[in-house]
Amino acid sequence: MDYSKSMGTPSTNQPSAPPSYQDISLHPPPYSAQPQGYGFSQQYVSSIDQQLNQHHMQQPFSIGQQHPSLESAMPESPVNDYFGYSIFTMVCCFFPLGIVALASSIATRNAVARGERRMAEQSSRLALMMNHSALATGIAVFSISFALILFLFVA
């Protein structure tokens, strides 16, 4: 159909016959590096680069100072309460120091729940120190007991 003519006049051209099958190629078209319609256009990539450069030019970043948006986005590390370690030292090592460690672990959990980070850190340090003390005391008592029993039965 000829579009250069007005729409009101009918076309006098007869439709042509379809092409013969010998004219159709059996091979696909050659490969192009980037087919049209796929991937990012160079114009799109360059506009993103310009936006990034403008952002960095407006807000310079210096070493040693944190970016203001990063300070609020970074979560604080959780305070460890050493609850399992406290249970272990109370049951298996030295009961009195294990009880103090368990009480400190519970105090750490309560301080974290109330949002008192400084108090939670202090209780956590005390729980860790009591756990280490209970473990060392338990190992020492076990070693002395083993040595004493061995000495009594051998001698």
Side-chain angles (χ1 to χ4, degrees):
M1 183 170 181
D2 189 11
Y3 291 105
S4 62
K5 296 181 180 179
S6 69
M7 294 297 277
T9 60
S11 173
T12 57
N13 294 343
Q14 295 294 328
S16 62
S20 66
Y21 289 109
Q22 287 91 12
D23 294 342
I24 298 175
S25 173
L26 296 177
H27 301 289
Y31 175 75
S32 65
Q34 184 176 4
Q36 182 137 359
Y38 294 99
F40 294 108
S41 68
Q42 187 62 30
Q43 181 183 10
Y44 180 72
V45 172
S46 63
S47 69
I48 290 175
D49 286 340
Q50 287 174 356
Q51 290 174 358
L52 288 174
N53 288 335
Q54 287 175 358
H55 175 72
H56 288 297
M57 295 304 285
Q58 292 171 355
Q59 297 179 356
F61 184 77
S62 63
I63 297 175
Q65 294 178 346
Q66 287 189 346
H67 198 274
S69 63
L70 292 178
E71 286 179 7
S72 61
M74 291 177 52
E76 294 180 352
S77 61
V79 179
N80 197 346
D81 59 2
Y82 303 106
F83 190 76
Y85 190 19
S86 298
I87 296 287
F88 171 75
T89 57
M90 183 182 70
V91 172
C92 298
C93 296
F94 190 67
F95 187 75
L97 291 176
I99 289 288
V100 174
L102 183 64
S104 297
S105 295
I106 292 170
T108 302
R109 283 187 174 189
N110 291 339
V112 167
R114 288 190 309 264
E116 298 174 354
R117 182 160 181 90
R118 186 170 181 215
M119 185 66 167
E121 288 172 350
Q122 288 176 351
S123 298
S124 176
R125 262 185 259 117
L126 180 62
L128 183 62
M129 193 169 53
M130 289 294 118
N131 280 322
H132 287 334
S133 299
L135 182 64
T137 304
I139 290 172
V141 167
F142 178 77
S143 299
I144 291 170
S145 300
F146 185 74
L148 187 60
I149 291 171
L150 189 62
F151 178 72
L152 289 176
F153 283 117
V154 173

